[in-house]
């Protein structure tokens, strides 16, 4: 259950708000009474997502920018704040998946710059306002892939491990100032980022169910949200194995495909 009293009137900014988990979170927050600001690179899906939220009776604005570009993220957040009010809740969901085997340094840097850099840039843009108001919630979508290394995924796993460590540290500094930090560690969620092979493999969570868990966890001020339970349990188990055994178990795991590239 999402605590109903938390969301009405809140100003919520979601990066990656035009697709997948970010879009489902934005829709859910708007349906619960929040004013949402969507942020991503491509204008057409941002426009379509905002129009759909408004058509359902919600309040939605959007701004286009690359989350890897810190000054542009700061400008986009300032623009959304002028239209929606100071950010009460920020959700860093923008992300990409690219294979890391064979390893290409430029592609790896792109993955880390968007997945980790994007989370850090959003935090840097919204935290000053939250700290001055003495309240706020910051949520980053990491991944269970940040807990264990996976074949073909060195850069993606590193980017998510960085998000986990970054938010774990930020939480210590921000909580005494009234800002709660939530780390989300999903398994596989049914979005355009995953392939049909992953869909068929089972254990896939719908984006709507993922959003429900995230919105409920943010409203409750949870430090971490893991789902689904079975994948979370397997990841914790793998982490606890001796490294040589963990490598033998994980080496044969199917590789993930790359997420779609923007036009
Ligand atoms: N799906 C899963 O199984 C799964 C599991 C664990 C964690 N996650 C994480 O959850 C988050 C959301 O993934 P998803 O599955 O919802 O993916 P998705 O459906 O592919 O959506 C990705 C979103 O991020 C935006 N984006 C990508 N690069 C960007 C950039 N440089 N600047 C601004 N926006 C950017 C995309 O819009 P534009 O391309 O137009 O910019 C889109 O709105 C990601 O961080 C992902 O790593 C996903």
């Amino acid at each position: 259950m999402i605590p109903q009293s938390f969301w009405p009137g809140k100003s919520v900014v979601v990066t990656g708000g035009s697709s997948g988990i970010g879009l489902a979170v934005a829709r859910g927050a708007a349906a619960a009474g929040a004013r949402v600001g969507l942020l991503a690179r491509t204008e057409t899906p941002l426009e379509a997502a905002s129009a759909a939220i408004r058509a359902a009776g919600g309040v939605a604005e959007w701004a286009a920018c690359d989350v890897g570009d810190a000054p542009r993220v700061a400008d986009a957040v300032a623009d959304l704040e002028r239209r929606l009010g100071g950010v009460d809740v920020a959700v860093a969901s923008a992300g990409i998946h690219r294979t890391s085997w064979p390893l290409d340094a430029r592609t790896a840097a792109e993955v880390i710059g968007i997945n980790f850099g994007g989370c850090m840039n959003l935090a840097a843009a919204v935290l000053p306002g939250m700290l001055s108001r003495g309240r706020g919630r910051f949520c980053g979508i990491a991944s269970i892939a940040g807990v264990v290394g996976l074949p073909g995924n060195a850069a993606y796993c590193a980017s998510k491990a960085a998000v986990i460590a970054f938010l774990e540290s930020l939480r210590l500094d921000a909580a005494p100032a009234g800002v709660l930090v939530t780390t989300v560690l999903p398994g596989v969620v049914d979005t355009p980022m995953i392939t049909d092979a992953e869909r068929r493999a089972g254990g896939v969570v719908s984006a709507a169910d993922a959003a429900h868990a995230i919105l409920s966890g943010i409203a409750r001020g949870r430090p971490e949200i893991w789902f689904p339970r079975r994948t979370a349990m397997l990841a914790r188990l793998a982490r606890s194995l001796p490294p040589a055994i963990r490598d033998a178990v994980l080496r044969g795991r199917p590789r993930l495909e790359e997420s779609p590239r923007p036009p």
Side-chain angles (χ1 to χ4, degrees), residues 87-182:
V87 176
D88 297 300
V89 180
V91 180
S93 185
I96 59 166
H97 176 259
R98 302 271 181 266
T99 184
S100 300
W101 194 257
L103 184 61
D104 170 64
R106 205 168 150 171
T107 306
E110 183 196 13
V111 170
I112 288 168
I114 294 175
N115 294 3
F116 170 57
C119 177
M120 185 176 62
N121 292 339
L122 181 66
V126 298
L127 278 174
M130 288 182 178
L131 294 176
S132 72
R133 291 184 290 275
R135 63 170 196 278
R137 311 262 163 125
F138 187 86
C139 171
I141 314 298
S143 173
I144 287 177
V147 177
V148 281
L150 299 171
N153 274 277
Y156 185 78
C157 291
S159 74
K160 295 303 182 178
V163 169
I164 293 167
F166 175 70
L167 296 180
E168 200 172 298
S169 297
L170 209 61
R171 188 154 45 239
L172 304 177
D173 294 321
V179 178
L180 302 185
V181 174
T182 298

Side-chain angles (χ1 to χ4, degrees), residues 55-71:
V59 176
E61 300 285 346
W62 61 270
C65 86
D66 186 328
V67 292
D69 185 332

